[in-house]
Amino acid sequence: MTNASQGDSPSEKHDPYAAFRIYEYRLYLIGWLLASIGTRIQSVAIGWEMYQRTGEALSLGLVGLAQALPTMLLALPAGYLADRFNRPKLVMVSLFAMTLTSAGLAVLSYNQGSITWMYILLALDATAVIIGRPARVALLPQLVPLNVLANAVTWNTSLMQITGVVGPALGGLIIATIDPSFAFVVTAATSLIFMFLLSRFRFGADVKRSAPPTLQTLLAGIHFVWNARIILTMISLDLFGVLLGGAVYLLPIYADDILHVGATGFGWLRAAPAIGAFCMAISMIYLPPMKRAGWRLLISVGAFGVATIIFGFAKSFGLAFAMLFLTGAFDNVSMVVRQTAQQLLTPDHMRGRVSAVTSVFVGASNELGGLESGVVAQYFGPVFSVVSGGIGTLIVVAITAWLSPELRRLGSLHNIKPVAVEPVQEKEIVTAPA
């Protein structure tokens, strides 16, 4: 059980810029933001190119499938690697592989090469991403003290939304004025820059396990999440909400066939959720810490579903943009609650594997949501796909609220203590700093 309560926030003065006072965090953030912008640019380019070259909604769903399969298959081994080996080096290996796959996509795009090979490179790119993701997530508590972690997570989610604004806008501009292939070149360059910045400074000592890899240690993250039911509930809510509300994958169809706004309008539609999320995140940074985080999470996911339904019926660019803006704003609230609670509930030596489990739930659900939306849109139309997904999200919220009194009781995030669950006894050793 969690020790979270509904008590008031701590009495000390709230410092909105606590994380930014740490040099290592600032340097890490620069590289991560640039790489995230590149990833968003690539996502816009691949979605637009696939639909323009095939004209089929199913091709957009297959993009999601190509990215989801590596996440589902490799997330748990990647989590074990993050807890076993040097985390910064794992992230750098991941970034180097992402550079190569983006460069390959640039070549295929420029030469109008095989669609099949583009899917293969997307799957390889997703493989590189998931190998490094648990290690990257687990780096954050090494960069900032635990009493600053909630502030750092909030800044991460808010600044990540800047990448969601800048990336799609730049992606749309590049597609409209230059060529989709150049978007992949830009993505490769940003991965290289992040890798270089990570190599420039030293992290603190890493606590690792000396136990050999076994099925028990590999599945330790699943065992931990299963016992920490509050984490399981939150990531399950996110999984079904995103799985059913994957409207963003259908934006090339809305931009081209329904709203008739072209590549530039498509870029801004892709940016709309991030603009909303950024505005919400900035508000959350300056507002006092929330006292009833559980109810805030449930309400925000429900509001996400309502905004998705209205977007599905939209016939004007303004209404569509506004609803996508709101989906991003509400999604940011749930992201802050879930990520902060997960980091604080999980002991350090389990963070990589627990992050891997959430990657399966959250990361794969994004791509599988794209597959679900694409398949439904192929046979029933894009409007039915989006609206039915929003209705499904509302049903999931209602069921979760009914079945999880622990989530309803979740109070201030500042009062959360680590869960006392030790699924695997491992002897600790300290490795040299990166």
Side-chain angles (χ1 to χ4, degrees):
M1 290 181 60
T2 176
N3 293 322
S5 69
Q6 294 183 16
D8 293 333
S9 58
S11 58
E12 62 266 17
K13 184 178 179 181
H14 176 59
D15 181 5
Y17 302 101
F20 277 96
R21 305 189 192 286
I22 301 169
Y23 169 75
E24 289 80 6
Y25 175 76
R26 296 197 303 270
L27 191 61
Y28 166 86
L29 199 63
I30 292 171
W32 175 61
L33 288 176
L34 287 174
S36 296
I37 289 173
T39 300
R40 304 272 190 169
I41 291 174
Q42 178 165 292
S43 180
V44 169
I46 197 68
W48 183 261
E49 177 158 346
M50 287 298 191
Y51 187 62
Q52 291 300 309
R53 291 179 63 180
T54 66
E56 296 182 353
L58 185 60
S59 68
L60 301 175
L62 291 177
V63 169
L65 179 63
Q67 295 173 317
L69 285 178
T71 300
M72 294 185 293
L73 296 175
L74 300 175
L76 295 182
Y80 173 79
L81 292 176
D83 286 336
R84 172 80 175 173
F85 298 106
N86 186 283
R87 289 167 180 168
K89 289 182 180 178
L90 275 176
V91 177
M92 286 189 279
V93 169
S94 168
L95 289 167
F96 181 70
M98 291 164 61
T99 301
L100 295 180
T101 54
S102 295
L105 286 169
V107 172
L108 286 175
S109 175
Y110 183 77
N111 293 308
Q112 294 289 286
S114 166
I115 293 288
T116 300
W117 273 105
M118 293 192 79
Y119 282 126
I120 292 173
L121 281 177
L122 278 176
L124 292 175
D125 186 73
T127 299
V129 170
I130 194 58
I131 290 298
R133 180 182 293 160
R136 181 184 58 77
V137 172
L139 279 181
L140 191 57
Q142 290 180 245
L143 295 172
V144 301
L146 287 181
N147 65 324
V148 180
L149 184 60
N151 180 258
V153 171
T154 306
W155 271 113
N156 272 21
T157 57
S158 62
L159 293 174
M160 182 179 69
Q161 308 314 327
I162 293 181
T163 72
V165 177
V166 175
L170 283 177
L173 183 63
I174 291 171
I175 293 169
T177 61
I178 306 177
D179 189 79
S181 62
F182 185 70
F184 300 117
V185 173
V186 173
T187 302
T190 59
S191 298
L192 275 180
I193 292 171
F194 189 18
M195 185 174 65
F196 172 76
L197 289 176
L198 278 179
S199 69
R200 297 294 295 174
F201 67 98
R202 299 172 66 85
F203 289 83
D206 243 349
V207 177
K208 303 300 179 189
R209 311 302 106 192
S210 61
T214 64
L215 183 62
Q216 186 182 19
T217 57
L218 192 64
L219 300 180
I222 295 178
H223 183 77
F224 181 90
V225 170
W226 180 258
N227 283 276
R229 291 302 177 91
I230 188 69
I231 297 180
L232 179 63
T233 300
M234 287 190 289
I235 61 178
S236 298
L237 177 62
D238 191 282
L239 181 150
F240 288 106
V242 173
L243 181 65
L244 297 171
V248 69
Y249 275 84
L250 300 181
L251 288 184
I253 300 176
Y254 269 81
D256 206 31
D257 299 338
I258 297 177
L259 303 176
H260 308 291
V261 293
T264 302
F266 167 56
W268 281 109
L269 288 174
R270 280 298 302 263
I275 297 173
F278 176 71
C279 292
M280 177 63 75
I282 292 298
S283 300
M284 292 177 67
I285 287 170
Y286 286 95
L287 290 173
M290 61 185 73
K291 297 180 180 179
R292 304 187 68 187
W295 274 111
R296 191 76 65 89
L297 175 63
L298 289 166
I299 292 171
S300 65
V301 178
F304 174 91
V306 172
T308 299
I309 293 171
I310 298 174
F311 165 77
F313 288 116
K315 298 297 183 181
S316 70
F317 177 82
L319 179 60
F321 186 92
M323 290 303 104
L324 290 171
F325 175 96
L326 290 178
T327 62
F330 295 127
D331 185 53
N332 187 79
V333 176
S334 66
M335 188 185 308
V336 169
V337 173
R338 176 176 52 79
Q339 290 187 1
T340 304
Q342 176 189 318
Q343 292 278 24
L344 293 174
L345 287 165
T346 308
D348 180 70
H349 73 278
M350 288 295 302
R351 285 196 176 105
R353 281 165 289 182
V354 171
S355 173
V357 174
T358 60
S359 292
V360 174
F361 277 76
V362 179
S365 67
N366 283 288
E367 282 73 33
L368 289 178
L371 175 63
E372 179 269 337
S373 296
V375 171
V376 175
Q378 180 75 15
Y379 295 103
F380 300 99
V383 174
F384 180 86
S385 177
V386 173
V387 172
S388 62
I391 294 172
T393 299
L394 293 178
I395 294 172
V396 169
V397 170
I399 293 174
T400 303
W402 178 43
L403 295 179
S404 181
E406 188 176 22
L407 180 59
R408 298 198 306 267
R409 291 194 301 266
L410 181 65
S412 172
L413 296 175
H414 286 274
N415 293 333
I416 293 178
K417 306 297 181 185
V419 175
V421 175
E422 284 292 338
V424 180
Q425 295 296 324
E426 300 173 284
K427 181 181 177 183
E428 294 184 1
I429 58 173
V430 179
T431 65

